[in-house]
Amino acid sequence: MKTRGVAVSLYAAIVLICMMALPYQADAQSGRITGRVTDAGTGNPLPGANVVVNGTNFGDATSVTGEFLIARVPSGEHTLNVDYLGFASQSAEITVSADQVVIQDFSLSEQPIVGEENAGIWKFEAEPDGNSEKFLVDSIGPHLVADVEGLAIYYANDSRGYLIASSQGNDSYVIYEREENHKYVGTFRIAAGETIDGTFDTDGIDVSNFALAPLFPGGIFVVQDGSNPGGNQNFKCVQWELIARLFDPPLLVDTRWDPRTVGSGK
C-alpha cells in the first residue's frame, strides 16, 4: 500500500510539473513586435494609430510618441496592418520567431476623405509632394442626396470597417466599406420611437466600435438632429449592433480596439 501511495504521489508531482511548464512552453513559441508610426510628411509621431496582426486578436494603439508593442505573438509568418484616420493604411509582411523581437516601423501618408455638399465624397493625397489627383468615393445620386454632410469611420480589425456619410437631402446615412475602393454597403434612417423622434437635417455624425456598457455594449452611433419642432437641436445615440442587424449579412460588430489605450503605451 505504501508503494502505491508513493506511485500516486509521484504521478501527481509529474502532472503538476508539466502543468507548470505549459505557460513557459507557450510563451517560448511566441515573440514580440515593436515599432513606431510616423507622418511621412512631417516625421511627427502618430498617437492612437491602430496596429493589428491580421487574423488575430493581437494589436496595440500607438502611444504619444507613436510607439507600439505587441507581445506574445505566435511564431510564424504574419501580416501587420496599421490604420490612422486621414492617412492611407499600410501593411507589412513579417516573420515572428520564438523569444525574438521584430522591429517594424511605418511612415503613413495623409489621405483625407472630404465631403463636398453638392458633389459627393472625395479622397485626396495630402502630402506636400503628393499629386493633385482625387479619387471619387461616390457622387450625388443614387445613394447620396445633397447635401453631403458629416463623415465618420467605424474601425474594425484587419483594416476592415466602414465609412459612413450623412445624406442630408433625404435624412439618411450611407455606409461604404472602409477598404480601398469603398464599395457601397447600404443606407439606413433613424425613425421615431415611442418617446423619441427621428433625425432630420443632420450635419455631424460620429461612430465608435468601443463597448460603452451597459447601454451601448456593441458600440455607438451619434447623430446631430437639426430639426426638432418646438425644441432645440440635439443629439441621438443609437446602439451600433441595432444598425448592424439591419443588413444582410449583418455589419461587423468589433469591439476589440480600446480607445482608452491611446497614448498609454499599453
Side-chain angles (χ1 to χ4, degrees):
M1 294 297 295
K2 289 183 179 180
T3 302
R4 181 180 299 174
V6 170
V8 171
S9 299
L10 180 61
Y11 174 78
I14 293 173
V15 171
L16 178 61
I17 291 172
C18 290
M19 292 178 64
M20 292 175 63
L22 285 176
Y24 172 79
Q25 291 174 349
D27 285 347
Q29 301 304 315
S30 65
R32 296 185 296 169
I33 308 170
T34 187
R36 192 164 182 258
V37 181
T38 57
D39 183 330
T42 65
N44 294 330
L46 295 177
N50 194 20
V51 186
V52 176
V53 181
N54 195 6
T56 75
N57 290 326
F58 294 95
D60 191 20
T62 55
S63 68
V64 292
T65 59
E67 297 171 304
F68 65 91
L69 173 63
I70 307 173
R72 297 185 179 181
V73 180
S75 300
E77 304 289 331
H78 295 284
T79 300
L80 191 64
N81 298 323
V82 58
D83 302 288
Y84 193 73
L85 181 63
F87 288 74
S89 301
Q90 278 192 19
S91 299
E93 302 299 322
I94 59 173
T95 300
V96 176
S97 301
D99 294 326
Q100 300 297 313
V101 177
V102 177
I103 301 175
Q104 179 64 56
D105 295 329
F106 292 93
S107 182
L108 305 187
S109 297
E110 280 195 86
Q111 194 174 46
I113 297 175
V114 177
E116 186 178 1
E117 290 186 346
N118 296 309
I121 303 173
W122 303 91
K123 185 163 65 176
F124 293 84
E125 287 192 22
E127 294 301 326
D129 58 350
N131 60 53
S132 59
E133 295 180 2
K134 56 185 179 181
F135 170 77
L136 180 64
V137 176
D138 201 359
S139 59
I140 296 298
H143 307 137
L144 295 169
V145 179
D147 290 343
V148 176
E149 294 290 347
L151 300 175
I153 294 179
Y154 179 92
Y155 285 97
N157 277 345
D158 302 339
S159 297
R160 302 179 68 192
Y162 305 103
L163 167 66
I164 309 172
S166 169
S167 176
Q168 192 182 69
N170 62 350
D171 301 314
S172 69
Y173 309 95
V174 186
I175 301 180
Y176 305 88
E177 290 182 351
R178 182 182 164 212
E179 287 90 336
E180 189 67 26
N181 291 324
H182 306 293
K183 179 182 175 182
Y184 171 73
V185 176
T187 299
F188 70 97
R189 292 179 174 85
I190 298 176
E194 294 182 1
T195 58
I196 301 177
D197 65 320
T199 57
F200 304 93
D201 299 328
T202 296
D203 287 322
I205 61 174
D206 207 349
V207 65
S208 174
N209 73 306
F210 189 57
L212 302 175
L215 295 179
F216 302 96
I220 186 172
F221 181 61
V222 183
V223 180
Q224 179 260 342
D225 184 5
S227 178
N228 287 290
N232 296 323
Q233 298 184 23
N234 58 26
F235 292 88
K236 302 297 194 300
C237 300
V238 183
Q239 293 177 338
W240 174 254
E241 61 268 34
L242 296 181
I243 298 171
R245 290 200 294 265
L246 294 174
F247 297 87
D248 184 16
L251 303 181
L252 295 170
V253 178
D254 188 346
T255 60
R256 286 175 288 177
W257 181 60
D258 185 347
R260 295 178 300 183
T261 63
V262 174
S264 67
K266 293 182 179 180

